[in-house]
């Protein structure tokens, strides 16, 4: 029988169940601290919070006038008609406050047929023409290769922007914003106006000669070249100011934060006090004195939009949504009243990490998110899936509950805080419907009862891994994306050769017994391969098994397809160059790589059998 932990009026669970279904009590001091961080919702919140409904649903009000998105109005009596338009509207009940009315289809858009595709760490996908890091021109090349092989999608790491300052954040999962993209992914020679300026291509290409991806050096070189292009030609194309105007306040806030970060550093908490409020007079004065700098950062986003459109043309590109943002970043500055001050998100202790995890991002306060009409969530979802046809939600369980870690405490000293999951899932479904974008939820690790059922009800695909599943791929669900590994787990070649365990041992991520036991358990997922077989044989076998899955989407990593032995990221390490390991095969050579070609044919045949 499933036990539901008690939840208080702040949304805090007083206990939690681990992966072995053992119950743990939360320290009362943790609960008290989190209550302080969350604060007390206003007494009238339920009367003015958004209403999220579907056509045909009963409403919380007896009657009212609805102002639709197109400006027209409709009268409602107690329930929404079946033909009521989807979207974000405003409801005015007699004598009550004006409330946002979100009308959702309740289910995400899904493609008609099955497909296979490549999972790509874009920064690692370097080309000889690039400047030391995979960029959007390289994504275009991968997309063209994939299309020629019969693939139906490409899954990429988060492309969200970090602070534009000299020390670049390496992790794609700790961005400064979830609404704008990272200009380090620009192909400099292809930005508008680049042909009128000597951008220093030879020096840029020389950055690819190193064994690691040096983001600091790459960004310094790219930024200098991009600024010269902007200063010379940035105002020449009338399409840019028109696009900028259409983006509205959100882009103005982003570009302003970037210009402020250039002067005062990447953490808004350390700025002069008068600049910490985005709407302050001091910020307005700063913008007036730095118009060209603000315009430059807006122009970078325009250039990114143009290159992304070209890179994704004609194929679904599933973009990754991180669980949160950097606490000192732009989104945290803009929405500082909605994000918690004094806590970060993470995970409780489990079989993979006895100390728990702290991911460093401040969580959204559930009642503050409702009071903000869910706008921070809406904008993040919409911006991430925009124009590419797909979204992968990292740690999708965070739509239901998140593990909050009070500042100054260890990850083990946290507690789960509940979120309005039904509303958030319906918003995802509405955005998916509008963008015609497939949605995948990363439901790995400890998944409480009801999560996968709710995902299925809303048309969100589960994420099933060969390394994690007890059942063989042939028995996996159809409503899923099937894969072998993720960026945080061993590659097939790394597992097979033992090099991944050796690297874990080098970095002290577990005892010898724990590491060997973990390796043996994963090797059991590859039956029928001789122990003395070459790693390429193990890679082929893994993908033969994957091809048996009936899942809607089959995903293979480029890392596995070229026999890479190092995983992109090893959780729990600080002295390893995580997120900075290039693929050993240049983009230009990928189409002719024999192992990659075999993997592509194997998955194409698997999809073709359906």
């Amino acid at each position: 029988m499933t036990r539901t932990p008690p939840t208080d009026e702040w949304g805090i669970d007083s206990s939690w169940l681990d992966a072995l279904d053992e119950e743990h009590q939360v320290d009362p001091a943790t609960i008290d601290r989190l209550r302080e961080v969350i604060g007390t919702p206003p007494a009238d919140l339920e009367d003015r919070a958004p209403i999220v409904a579907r056509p045909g649903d009963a409403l919380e009000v007896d009657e009212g006038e609805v102002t639709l998105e197109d400006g027209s109005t409709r009268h409602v009596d107690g329930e929404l008609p079946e033909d009521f338009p989807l979207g974000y509207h405003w409801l005015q009940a007699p004598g009550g406050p004006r409330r946002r009315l979100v009308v959702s289809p309740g289910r995400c858009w899904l493609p008609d047929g099955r497909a296979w595709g490549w999972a790509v760490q874009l920064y690692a996908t370097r080309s000889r023409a690039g400047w030391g890091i995979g960029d959007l021109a390289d994504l275009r090349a991968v997309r063209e290769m994939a299309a020629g092989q019969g693939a139906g999608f490409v899954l990429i790491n988060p492309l969200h922007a970090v602070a534009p300052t000299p020390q670049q954040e390496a992790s794609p999962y700790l961005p400064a914003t979830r609404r704008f993209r990272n200009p380090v992914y620009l192909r400099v020679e292809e930005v508008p106006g680049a042909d009128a300026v000597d951008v220093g291509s030879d020096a840029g290409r020389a950055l690819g000669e190193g064994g690691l991806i040096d983001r600091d050096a790459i960004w310094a070189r790219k930024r200098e070249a991009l600024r010269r292009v902007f200063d010379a030609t940035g105002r020449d194309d009338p399409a840019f100011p028109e696009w900028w105007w259409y983006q509205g306040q959100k882009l103005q806030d982003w570009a302003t934060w970037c210009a402020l970060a250039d002067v005062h550093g990447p953490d808004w908490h350390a700025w002069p006090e008068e600049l910490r409020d985005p709407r302050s007079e001091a910020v307005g004065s700063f913008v007036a004195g730095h118009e060209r700098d603000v315009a430059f950062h807006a122009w970078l986003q325009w250039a990114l939009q143009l290159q992304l459109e070209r890179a994704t043309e004609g194929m679904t590109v599933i973009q990754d949504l991180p669980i949160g943002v950097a606490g000192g970043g732009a989104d945290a500055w803009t929405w500082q009243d909605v994000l918690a001050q004094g806590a970060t998100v993470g995970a409780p202790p489990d079989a993979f990490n006895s100390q728990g995890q702290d991911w460093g991002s401040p969580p959204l306060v559930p009642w503050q998110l409702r009071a903000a009409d869910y706008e921070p969530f809406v904008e993040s979802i919409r911006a991430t899936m925009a124009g590419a046809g797909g979204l992968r939600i990292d740690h999708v369980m965070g739509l239901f509950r998140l593990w909050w870690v009070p500042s100054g405490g260890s990850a083990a000293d946290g507690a789960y805080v509940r979120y309005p999951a039904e509303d958030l899932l319906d918003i995802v479904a509405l955005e998916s419907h509008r963008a015609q974008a497939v949605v995948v939820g990363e439901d790995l690790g400890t998944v409480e009862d009801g999560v996968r059922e709710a995902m299925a009800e809303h048309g969100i695909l589960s994420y099933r891994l060969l390394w994690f599943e007890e059942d063989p791929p042939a028995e996996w669900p159809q409503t899923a994306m099937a894969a072998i590994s993720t960026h945080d787990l061993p590659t097939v070649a790394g597992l097979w050769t033992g090099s991944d365990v050796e690297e874990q041992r080098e970095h002290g991520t577990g005892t010898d017994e724990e590491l060997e036991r973990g390796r043996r358990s994963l090797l059991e997922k590859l039956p029928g391969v001789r122990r003395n077989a070459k790693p390429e044989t193990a890679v082929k076998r893994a993908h033969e098994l994957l091809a048996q899955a009936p899942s809607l989407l089959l995903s293979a990593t480029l890392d596995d397809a070229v026999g890479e032995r190092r995983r992109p990221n090893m959780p729990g390490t600080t002295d390893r160059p995580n997120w900075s390991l290039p693929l050993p095969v240049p983009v230009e050579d990928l189409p002719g790589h024999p192992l990659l070609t075999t993997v592509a044919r194997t998955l194409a045949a698997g999809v073709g059998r359906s």
Side-chain angles (χ1 to χ4, degrees), residues 86-397:
L86 305 177
Y88 300 91
H89 315 303
W90 292 99
L91 171 65
Q92 179 68 65
R98 186 170 180 257
R99 303 174 68 178
R100 193 175 208 181
L101 174 63
V102 182
V103 182
S104 168
R107 286 186 60 81
C108 294
W109 178 87
L110 287 172
D112 292 331
R114 299 178 66 215
W116 72 274
W118 295 113
V120 179
Q121 297 293 315
L122 182 56
Y123 59 84
T125 314
R126 302 198 298 189
S127 63
R128 297 182 182 92
W131 290 21
I133 190 169
D135 58 30
L136 290 169
D138 297 323
L139 176 59
R140 184 173 72 242
V142 171
R143 185 259 296 165
E144 291 170 349
M145 174 192 75
Q149 296 166 329
F153 68 90
V154 174
L155 168 66
I156 56 176
N157 61 275
L159 302 185
H160 301 92
V162 300
T165 45
Q167 286 73 45
Q168 290 282 285
E169 170 61 52
S171 173
Y173 292 89
L174 193 60
T177 176
R178 295 194 295 178
R179 297 179 292 167
F180 299 98
R181 302 183 180 99
N182 194 336
V184 80
Y185 291 116
L186 285 170
R187 175 63 61 91
V188 175
E189 292 89 345
E190 295 185 8
V191 299
D195 54 352
V197 177
D198 179 7
V199 296
S201 295
D202 290 343
R205 286 192 288 269
L207 293 167
E209 297 173 0
L212 296 175
I213 297 167
D214 186 347
R215 282 179 176 79
D216 294 351
I218 293 165
W219 173 236
R221 176 73 66 178
K222 282 195 174 186
R223 175 170 179 149
E224 188 270 336
L226 290 165
R227 185 59 192 250
R228 281 194 286 116
V229 174
F230 171 75
D231 286 342
T233 68
R235 296 297 179 99
D236 294 348
D237 191 333
F240 163 55
E242 181 180 348
W243 179 85
W244 185 4
W245 177 87
Y246 182 78
Q247 299 305 307
Q249 188 64 48
K250 59 183 182 292
L251 178 57
Q252 182 68 22
D253 284 348
W254 163 252
T256 298
W257 181 86
C258 287
L260 282 163
D262 285 337
V263 176
H264 298 288
D267 186 348
W268 65 267
H269 297 92
W271 295 354
E273 187 171 355
E274 65 272 15
L275 297 175
R276 297 175 195 171
D277 178 358
R279 305 291 170 252
S280 70
E281 183 178 336
V283 169
S285 297
F286 177 90
V287 171
H290 296 77
E291 287 186 354
R292 291 290 293 175
D293 300 324
V294 173
F296 170 61
H297 290 291
W299 178 82
L300 291 174
Q301 293 302 313
W302 176 61
L304 282 160
Q305 179 67 26
L306 296 176
Q307 291 196 10
L308 183 67
E309 288 174 355
R310 189 178 176 195
T312 62
E313 184 178 9
M315 179 172 284
T316 295
V317 174
I318 302 174
Q319 301 188 71
D320 209 341
L321 179 74
I323 190 64
V325 294
D331 284 2
W333 179 62
T334 301
W335 291 320
Q336 53 193 274
D337 293 336
V338 185
L339 284 160
Q341 308 292 322
T344 51
V345 298
D350 58 25
F352 295 95
N353 194 317
S354 61
Q355 300 303 311
Q357 299 178 59
D358 185 344
W359 301 326
S361 298
L364 291 160
V365 178
W367 75 262
Q368 292 278 22
L369 181 60
R370 295 179 67 207
D373 293 324
Y374 292 124
E375 192 60 26
F377 182 74
V378 172
E379 289 189 15
S380 298
I381 293 288
R382 182 181 297 156
T384 304
M385 68 170 58
L391 176 74
R392 174 189 177 272
I393 302 177
D394 187 49
H395 193 71
V396 72
M397 294 85 76

Side-chain angles (χ1 to χ4, degrees), residues 15-77:
S15 64
W16 56 281
L17 302 177
D18 63 20
L20 301 177
D21 206 31
E22 294 182 3
E23 186 171 11
H24 301 263
Q25 298 297 319
V26 177
D27 189 328
T30 295
I31 294 177
D32 290 342
R33 176 68 185 116
L34 291 181
R35 286 176 176 176
E36 292 177 10
V37 171
I38 292 170
T40 303
D44 65 343
L45 177 64
E46 295 304 322
D47 296 328
R48 58 185 178 88
I51 298 173
V52 182
R54 305 175 191 178
D57 279 358
L59 293 175
E60 300 171 17
V61 296
D62 293 333
E63 64 173 325
E65 293 293 324
V66 179
T67 302
L68 303 177
E69 285 180 311
D70 63 5
S72 63
T73 59
R74 288 186 65 169
H75 185 80
V76 293
D77 289 312

Side-chain angles (χ1 to χ4, degrees), residues 408-585:
S410 73
D413 298 326
Y416 278 115
V417 176
R418 295 280 164 179
Y419 284 79
E422 191 66 25
D423 285 2
L424 300 180
L425 292 170
D426 272 358
I427 288 171
V428 170
L430 174 57
E431 292 298 326
S432 165
H433 176 82
R434 290 188 151 183
Q436 298 286 279
V438 63
V439 178
V440 180
E442 189 232 12
D443 51 346
L444 305 177
T446 302
V447 183
E448 67 174 333
D449 289 346
V451 168
R452 283 179 170 152
E453 292 80 0
M455 289 170 59
E457 178 189 333
H458 288 81
I460 297 176
L461 300 182
S462 182
Y463 195 49
R464 300 304 173 98
L465 300 184
L466 184 66
W467 289 167
F468 273 19
E469 294 297 311
E470 296 297 328
D471 297 327
E475 299 177 18
W476 294 359
Q478 292 182 332
T479 54
M481 171 183 277
I484 292 169
S485 185
T486 75
H487 51 257
D488 288 335
L489 296 171
T491 64
V492 176
L495 171 73
W496 190 257
T497 61
S499 62
D500 186 80
V501 162
E502 287 301 316
E503 191 177 12
Q504 289 186 75
R505 185 177 290 118
E506 175 188 342
H507 293 285
T509 63
T511 65
D512 287 353
E513 181 182 356
E514 291 170 340
L515 297 177
E516 287 298 336
R517 184 170 64 246
R519 179 173 181 247
R520 286 196 301 271
S521 69
L522 295 187
L523 287 172
E524 292 173 359
K525 309 289 187 179
L526 294 175
V529 185
R530 299 191 319 275
R531 289 302 186 204
N532 63 348
K534 295 180 179 180
E536 291 80 5
T537 303
V539 171
K540 293 175 185 177
R541 178 57 178 158
H543 290 88
E544 289 170 356
L545 293 168
L546 181 64
Q548 297 173 14
S551 303
L552 187 65
L553 304 179
L554 305 183
S555 173
T557 69
L558 287 183
D559 308 75
D560 278 334
V562 299
E564 171 61 60
R565 300 187 181 190
R566 299 173 297 177
R567 59 173 99 179
N569 177 55
M570 185 172 286
T573 62
T574 56
D575 56 347
R576 181 183 188 268
N578 291 324
W579 312 114
S580 300
L581 303 172
L583 281 178
V585 180

